[in-house]
Amino acid sequence: MSDRLEITFSPLNAEPETATVVFAGDGLVLGAKARELETKSASAISKAAAAADFKGKYKSSIEILAPAKIGIERLIVSGIGKIGALTEQQAVDLGGAIVGAIQARKSSAASIIVDVDGTEALSADEIAALIAQGAMLRHYNFKKYLTKKSSEDAADKDGLKKLVIQVPHPDKAKAAFQPLKAVANGVNLARELVNEPANILGPVELAEKTKSLEKLGVSVEILDVKDMEKLGMGSLLCVGQGSVRPSRLAVMVWNGAKGAKKQKPICLVGKGVVFDTGGISIKPAAGMEDMKGDMGGAAAVIGTMHALAERKANVNVVGLVGCVENMPSGNAVRPGDIVKSMSGQTIEVINTDAEGRLVLADVLWYAQEQFKPKLVIDLATLTGAIMVALGKEYAGLFSNEDKLADELLSASRSTGEKLWRMPLDKAFDKMMDSKNADMKNAGGRWAGSATAAAFVQRFVQKDTPWSHIDLAGTAMDGNRNDINQSWGSGWGVRLLNAFIAEHHEKGEK
Ligand code: BES
Ligand code: MN
Ligand code: ZN
């Protein structure tokens, strides 16, 4: 990972760094420590606030340079809005916004003094932990291939390196940070995988990345081409056959559920197309470089598995990622070719650029056969059409079960990773019928995301609760925000983690 940020928690009476952030609520209400600095500095905060018309509005801020007598060079006063009303997500976003503000000033070390509580359920220590998570997410960048140290964009030599968060109870804040840090590490891992170019991250390399989860207690198995041939995965394999780099299927098993009764796992399936040229149905040149991110679904699955294992989640989850490269060549699959999937169903390949669904077909089938899961969620950068429908702010959600869809939608609301439910319909399914095989892989011009979902559903067994998330618009080059400045967004890790934490851990709700 690029440029590490060291985050520590220390008591309120510690000596702050030369760049220090304090909070002010609506009406310029200050916490105990901030009041102390205010008094010592002969009211530097209220004087500057009056001059700048700063009233403590959430996410507004002022900066006081070299206030008298407190030994701080740069005092940033950050608004948190109505006292006692700060929510978890607001605290995370605030952490991101603060790091953005500090980075703009080029300080290499900073203190944040957290001496105010949030909502009733949120102590100052917990706010500090959430701020730390926001800081980690905001700090991530992908500059490791920039070598010119002098340029503005170069490997951030002078960036923020050290963040000390001062709190009432450092031990409590540190404990609250542990699971939040695990999730941020998962998000940043997913981002890194999406940002990494395809010459570095081929299908074999992507699959190998899952091995890094073994040290967290995840069992990893990697199936190679021979293994998949034996299983009859003609659908997945036809996508990779044009590439000189062989396909892989990586299977990550996290058995974290405590208690005697063996709990059925949740399966998370990811599309891991390391590069999508379109194959023989080749894509236009403009913007094709973005197709290095066509493994955003796989990245979200790997990042989620990392988060769950690092925070030792009390749940059984299996992550499966189909890793392939879609290339044109003398050996590539052709339009008109008919392949047989592991399910036994045959597919006429009408368009070799509709490859993601061919990968999902076999990985989904394998997941259900092998693990008999209680539910399956697949994530895929599946269609350009989902961006036409929902833009770059929402991912599309398709589901054969309302309960599962509602749980995902509620996790979506609590994390801010937006989902919009889209229709499954017999009419869309019918559009995938073929004269020459059981189905074709492309349904024509209309409802491109819904016909893709209908295709994928043909590989979901009766009685398996299933959701399909099309994140083509959000996995890469999504709208930048307080907690993400990266092209590869890591979208989905926070959503899936919250979905599991809120609905599938510590007994069913
Ligand atoms: N990987 C693409 C979808 C995509 C497009 C993701 C843009 C991210 C940004 C997918 O494999 C694809 O090419 N889909 C085709 C399907 C069509 C041929 C039926 C599409 O959306 O055009
Ligand atoms: Mn494609
Ligand atoms: Zn694709």
Side-chain angles (χ1 to χ4, degrees), residues 86-154:
L86 196 70
T87 65
E88 289 191 20
Q89 194 47 46
Q90 283 176 337
V92 175
D93 289 341
L94 191 61
I98 288 170
V99 164
I102 296 168
Q103 284 172 326
R105 272 92 181 188
K106 304 203 184 304
S107 303
S108 63
S111 298
I112 304 175
I113 295 175
V114 186
D115 55 357
V116 283
D117 293 328
T119 55
E120 246 170 79
L122 215 55
S123 68
D125 299 309
E126 285 161 335
I127 291 180
L130 293 159
I131 284 174
Q133 186 191 43
M136 275 181 79
L137 293 170
R138 175 61 179 251
H139 192 260
Y140 171 82
N141 65 41
F142 185 68
K143 291 187 176 173
K144 66 184 201 189
Y145 295 112
L146 298 179
T147 64
K148 295 199 188 68
K149 305 274 189 282
S150 57
S151 95
E152 186 66 19
D153 263 350

Side-chain angles (χ1 to χ4, degrees), residues 21 41 44 50 98 112 130 196 214-215 233 276 339 355 374 384 388 394 407 453 497:
V21 179
S41 65
I98 288 170
I112 304 175
L130 293 159
E196 205 61 86
E214 284 179 334
K215 63 178 186 294
M233 293 189 175
D276 181 12
V339 298
E355 85 298 339
K374 74 165 170 178
V388 177
Y394 281 82
E407 289 173 357
N497 176 71

Side-chain angles (χ1 to χ4, degrees), residues 220-291:
V220 175
E221 191 192 356
I222 296 176
L223 280 66
D224 63 15
V225 172
K226 262 200 188 126
D227 298 326
M228 291 188 277
E229 275 167 358
K230 270 188 219 140
L231 288 162
M233 293 189 175
S235 182
L236 181 152
L237 286 169
C238 84
V239 177
Q241 79 187 38
S243 170
V244 294
R245 302 192 289 180
S247 304
R248 292 286 185 268
L249 169 56
V251 183
M252 298 157 272
V253 180
W254 171 248
N255 273 327
K258 300 190 185 84
K261 211 173 108 234
K262 204 168 169 339
Q263 191 188 89
K264 277 188 174 181
I266 289 171
C267 281
L268 304 176
V269 168
K271 168 181 173 182
V273 177
V274 297
F275 197 83
D276 181 12
T277 63
I280 297 299
S281 317
I282 199 161
K283 287 181 182 293
M288 204 206 275
E289 65 278 11
D290 284 359
M291 285 301 109

Side-chain angles (χ1 to χ4, degrees), residues 271 276 283 291 294 351 353-355 357 381-385 387 442 472 476:
K271 168 181 173 182
D276 181 12
K283 287 181 182 293
M291 285 301 109
D294 207 19
N351 188 321
D353 198 10
E355 85 298 339
R357 63 198 75 183
T381 49
L382 205 62
T383 65
M387 277 185 267
M476 57 238 190

Side-chain angles (χ1 to χ4, degrees), residues 140 142 144-145 190-202 205 209 274-275 289 291-293 295 487-488:
Y140 171 82
F142 185 68
K144 66 184 201 189
Y145 295 112
R191 289 173 176 174
E192 188 82 356
L193 294 173
V194 173
N195 285 327
E196 205 61 86
N199 60 324
I200 305 292
L201 197 74
E205 292 79 13
K209 290 280 178 188
V274 297
F275 197 83
E289 65 278 11
M291 285 301 109
K292 72 172 185 176
M295 27 59 70
W487 183 82

